[in-house]
Structure formats: structure tokens, C-alpha cells
Amino acid sequence: MTRSIRKRLADDDTLGTNARNVKVITVDGMVTLRGPVANADEQARIVAIAKQAAGVDHVVNDLQVTRP
């Protein structure tokens, strides 16, 4: 699952460099996203990608928006 999410992030041209390189940690089916992103739009896009792969109830969003 981690590989699938990382590939989708890497292939998404709308995301900046930091957003493409967030940490994706999968443990027992739960996906945790960590790292800095430029804005709320990037954060929402990353969470949406993860939820598509893991399911709505299996994603923990620990992303930090660096610019509001």
C-alpha cells in the first residue's frame, strides 16, 4: 500500500517537491502521512490520494502546512 501511495504522489504534477516526498508509513493497514506541505490544497490532495488507496477510515493526517 505504501508503494502505491508513493507512486501516486510522485506521478502527481500538481504537487510540489516537499509534498511528493512526505513520509508514508503503513502499519496494520493504517496509513500515517507526515511531513511539510506548502498549503492546504496540497494537504487535501495527498490525503485524498491516501484515502483512495487505504480507505477513508485508515488514514492519519500528520502533515504540516508551512504556508497558509
Side-chain angles (χ1 to χ4, degrees), residues 8-59:
R8 290 180 190 184
L9 293 177
D11 292 345
D12 191 328
D13 292 335
T14 65
L15 297 175
T17 303
N18 282 343
R20 289 182 185 175
N21 291 310
V22 296
K23 290 184 181 185
V24 179
I25 304 159
T26 305
V27 177
D28 294 331
M30 288 296 292
V31 175
T32 302
L33 305 168
R34 288 191 183 139
V37 294
N39 54 51
D41 290 337
E42 281 191 342
Q43 181 183 36
R45 181 73 183 129
I46 293 166
V47 171
I49 289 169
K51 285 182 177 180
Q52 286 176 341
V56 175
D57 296 330
H58 294 90
V59 176

Side-chain angles (χ1 to χ4, degrees), residues 11 62 64 68:
D11 292 345
D62 284 342
Q64 296 91 31

